[in-house]
Amino acid sequence: MPASKSRAYRDVDGILLLDKPRGLSSNQALQQVRKLYAARKAGHCGSLDPLATGVLPVCLGEATKFSSYLLGANKAYRASCRLGQTTSSGDAEGEILQTAAIAVDQAQIERALAQFRGEIEQVPPMYSALKHQGRRLYQLAREGKEVERAPRAVTIFHLHLLGFDGETLDLDVACSKGTYIRTLAEDIGNLLGCGAHLSALHRYRVGAFDESAAVGMAELQHRATAGREALDALLLPVSAALEQYPQLDLDAARSVDISHGRAVELEAPVAPGLCRLHSVDGCFLGLGEVAENGQLKAKRLMNTAR
């Protein structure tokens, strides 16, 4: 990269909760955020299709080191499923393949939904980012190819009917990572005997992050006109990606040791497992793990030398 361009980017650390608009892919939204922040490093946590809207955590700088812990988080959606039509992609962006009469009532719908609560198996859709022999499935799908996909276990924590107008089901879904809502819509339609596709999708929660804290693209662009400080004020701390783990405060000597990759002995007993590491002055050091013998080792650390 030419020097003139490299100087335009900066080291900025934090997590932005973006309210992704409809019509943008997650990568397109990520690149817009990265450009607004002039961030040297950026990545998103949990793709949303262009059709979908809602919470898309964007990790900047050192936060990218911990993005996998958000990728693995549970998620919640409001989804609309159009009954009586199947499409090539399983959602409203695909070509209609088949149509069928809709002859179901609410009682039948409730019985069908009950079949999808708890742990279920899903066959990932062809229009997905999973890879087959080094190629994304959606690339193969666009070429008219279909390959066998092994079913995967996912968990639907809750699945509630919000409304049914005789044609479209509105659902509230909370699920584990790896759940494809378009596949859920198709499977519900198949069970009801009329077929279905996903017509709208809004993600309102990722892990502990709720849509109430998400920021739209228009607000970001407005903030950008006021300068970087206005944008940076929207960022959550890097440690927010790890709020599910207990916090462990280390004294100055142990902070230095763990920052240099050395295992440390703890003064007081701590339950084994992962933990957020902070120095006594409040500086976030990274993620550590306490072993069964009580020894603490670094799992993934912040770069504090910048």
Side-chain angles (χ1 to χ4, degrees), residues 185-204:
E186 290 182 306
D187 290 345
I188 291 170
N190 289 338
L191 187 57
L192 290 172
C194 58
H197 68 266
L198 185 68
S199 56
L201 184 66
H202 178 77
R203 185 161 69 193
Y204 65 87

Side-chain angles (χ1 to χ4, degrees), residues 116-124 151-157 174-180 183-184 187:
F116 295 95
R117 298 186 182 112
E119 186 171 304
I120 63 172
E121 285 198 336
Q122 277 193 339
V123 176
R152 306 195 308 182
V154 297
T155 302
I156 308 295
F157 300 108
C175 55
S176 65
K177 70 171 183 177
T179 303
Y180 288 94
T183 299
L184 180 63
D187 290 345

Side-chain angles (χ1 to χ4, degrees), residues 249-267 277-281 285 296:
D249 296 324
L250 303 178
D251 60 27
R254 289 182 174 84
S255 295
V256 170
D257 283 341
I258 206 74
S259 295
H260 286 83
R262 294 190 287 268
V264 301
E265 302 293 335
L266 299 173
E267 287 184 306
L277 303 179
H278 289 256
S279 63
V280 288
D281 61 1
L285 303 174
L296 173 68

Side-chain angles (χ1 to χ4, degrees), residues 33-107:
V33 170
R34 185 188 178 205
K35 183 177 180 181
L36 287 170
Y37 275 91
R40 201 179 309 279
K41 290 176 63 178
H44 64 73
C45 305
S47 294
L48 284 174
D49 292 332
L51 169 81
T53 62
V55 180
L56 179 68
V58 175
C59 293
L60 303 179
E62 289 293 281
T64 59
K65 291 181 177 179
F66 306 96
S67 60
S68 61
Y69 297 93
L70 288 176
L71 284 168
N74 298 331
K75 300 172 178 69
Y77 301 87
R78 287 187 291 273
S80 295
C81 308
R82 170 65 162 87
L83 299 184
Q85 291 181 347
T86 61
T87 71
S88 57
S89 61
D91 64 15
E93 296 188 328
E95 296 180 5
I96 295 175
L97 299 179
Q98 291 181 324
T99 60
I102 304 169
V104 297
D105 57 28
Q106 187 162 330

Side-chain angles (χ1 to χ4, degrees), residues 154-171:
V154 297
T155 302
I156 308 295
F157 300 108
H158 77 240
L159 176 60
H160 299 317
L161 179 64
L162 298 176
F164 176 52
D165 64 3
E167 185 176 88
T168 299
L169 301 179
D170 291 319
L171 304 172

Side-chain angles (χ1 to χ4, degrees), residues 205-280:
R205 190 169 64 245
V206 174
F209 296 146
D210 185 82
E211 65 180 346
S212 61
V215 182
M217 197 67 76
E219 173 65 14
L220 279 181
Q221 292 166 344
H222 174 71
R223 291 268 187 144
T225 62
R228 288 177 174 174
E229 287 187 3
L231 281 173
D232 292 354
L234 297 172
L235 296 179
L236 299 173
V238 175
S239 59
L242 305 171
E243 288 293 330
Q244 65 271 40
Y245 302 116
Q247 179 172 323
L248 183 59
D249 296 324
L250 303 178
D251 60 27
R254 289 182 174 84
S255 295
V256 170
D257 283 341
I258 206 74
S259 295
H260 286 83
R262 294 190 287 268
V264 301
E265 302 293 335
L266 299 173
E267 287 184 306
V270 175
L274 297 175
C275 52
R276 286 177 289 130
L277 303 179
H278 289 256
S279 63
V280 288

